[in-house]
Amino acid sequence: MVVTASVQDSRLKRRFELWDSNGDGAIDKSDYESEARRILQGFGEQENSPKGRALVSAYNGLWEKLAGKAGVGPQGKVSLQDYLRVSEEELVQGGDAGFDRNLRPTIEAIVDIADTDGDGEVNPSEFKRWLRAAGVDERQADSAFRQLDGNGSGTLSVEELVEAVRDFHQGKHDISLLGR
């Protein structure tokens, strides 16, 4: 697949639209908190449990990094243009290190919630629950799991999931984990 700026931009715009849960054309801390709560609700996890606190903390950290880089502060709002600029700098130009610095903690916290059997990996039913909480159609979740499970183990590790999200946003494959 040829990686083009337009592919990356369209994926980042779609991610922005998903963050903008109230549809006001900007994202703020409450939008990040809303996604964390949807995931917690999807797994029946309480926000004040250790895993719940870790997930909310990871989302808040992700928001604070974006808000800081966009220059709006933690209580501000980020426009689409600023989101695209910061994402380009941090996730695209920053490569794997930038992606790991910004998104890995959130993915790890999501996996910790999704891993209901405690084996350290995400199986197909856990993956489906996660994506359902994110608004992804179940058929799309099944297909995505099969494609992402490159080694055929029947589970996805944190590394496989980090790589999948990174490669999608960098335009290296078309396996979408975006919903709603």
Side-chain angles (χ1 to χ4, degrees), residues 146-159:
R146 285 190 302 276
Q147 293 175 65
L148 296 176
D149 185 19
N151 65 6
S153 68
T155 61
L156 298 173
S157 67
V158 169
E159 267 324 299

Side-chain angles (χ1 to χ4, degrees), residues 2-23:
V2 176
V3 180
T4 65
S6 64
V7 168
Q8 292 167 340
D9 279 354
S10 70
R11 291 176 181 184
L12 291 172
K13 284 178 186 174
R14 177 71 180 127
R15 180 68 255 186
F16 179 88
E17 292 166 359
L18 293 171
W19 285 123
D20 184 14
S21 60
N22 63 7

Side-chain angles (χ1 to χ4, degrees), residues 33-70:
E33 291 170 339
S34 291
E35 181 165 312
R37 285 189 189 103
R38 280 195 309 273
I39 292 169
L40 291 171
Q41 289 170 352
F43 284 92
E45 189 72 39
Q46 297 298 313
E47 196 171 328
N48 62 357
S49 73
K51 288 182 179 184
R53 285 192 307 272
L55 183 71
V56 171
S57 177
Y59 270 87
N60 283 335
L62 186 58
W63 164 252
E64 288 169 7
K65 287 177 186 175
L66 172 62
K69 294 283 183 179

Side-chain angles (χ1 to χ4, degrees), residues 51 78 86 97 136 168 179:
K51 288 182 179 184
V78 174
V86 171
V136 176
F168 175 76

Side-chain angles (χ1 to χ4, degrees), residues 20-35:
D20 184 14
S21 60
N22 63 7
D24 68 355
I27 53 178
D28 60 33
K29 184 177 180 177
S30 70
D31 293 313
Y32 280 62
E33 291 170 339
S34 291
E35 181 165 312

Side-chain angles (χ1 to χ4, degrees), residues 6 13 22 60-61 91 119 121 124 166-168 171-173:
S6 64
K13 284 178 186 174
N22 63 7
N60 283 335
L91 305 179
D119 67 356
E121 298 190 316
R166 181 188 63 232
D167 288 354
F168 175 76
K172 296 178 183 176
H173 68 64

